[in-house]
Amino acid sequence: MNCPKCESGTLEKRVVRGIEVDQCGGCQGVWFDDDELSKLINDQGASGRALKGGDSGLNRKPGKCPLDETPLIRVHSKRNRSVVIDHCSTCKGVWLDGGEFQRLTS
Ligand SMILES: [Zn+2]
Ligand SMILES: [Zn+2]
């Protein structure tokens, strides 16, 4: 699968805390299928309205789902509202930019 955020990166399988996820070797972002993120950190997923802006860098860039190419919707995480996640409304997958996963789990 190709990374939804950086052009050159590809996603590679990686096991985090017993759950298989896909991580980009370029930007270190992580893709979670459907309920993988909720299994990992008990996150209830997206909340609130889609965001228009962004905070910085790659995070501003609208991504496309690596599975079905649906444009990802940027929303605050319910668990940590300072973290913005990219959510696919088609397959319910979630993208976290590099470092965001650490912020959610720390
Ligand atoms: Zn990437
Ligand atoms: Zn999708």
Side-chain angles (χ1 to χ4, degrees), residues 6-61:
C6 62
E7 256 99 82
S8 55
T10 53
L11 304 184
E12 290 173 16
K13 294 281 182 200
R14 214 188 132 199
V15 175
V16 179
R17 300 186 197 182
I19 309 256
E20 191 177 80
V21 300
D22 298 282
Q23 183 167 41
C24 175
C27 64
Q28 305 300 311
V30 186
W31 176 259
F32 298 89
D33 291 326
D34 197 356
D35 58 349
E36 287 173 345
L37 184 62
S38 55
K39 276 192 228 156
L40 262 179
I41 58 171
N42 201 24
D43 194 317
Q44 296 307 303
S47 73
R49 291 183 299 147
L51 301 174
K52 292 237 169 70
D55 18 79
S56 63
L58 281 176
N59 214 357
R60 273 179 186 277
K61 193 175 167 184

Side-chain angles (χ1 to χ4, degrees), residues 31 64-70 72 87-94:
W31 176 259
K64 277 189 183 173
C65 176
L67 299 179
D68 48 50
E69 302 206 330
T70 302
L72 299 174
H87 177 247
C88 175
S89 59
T90 301
C91 67
K92 313 296 183 204
V94 170

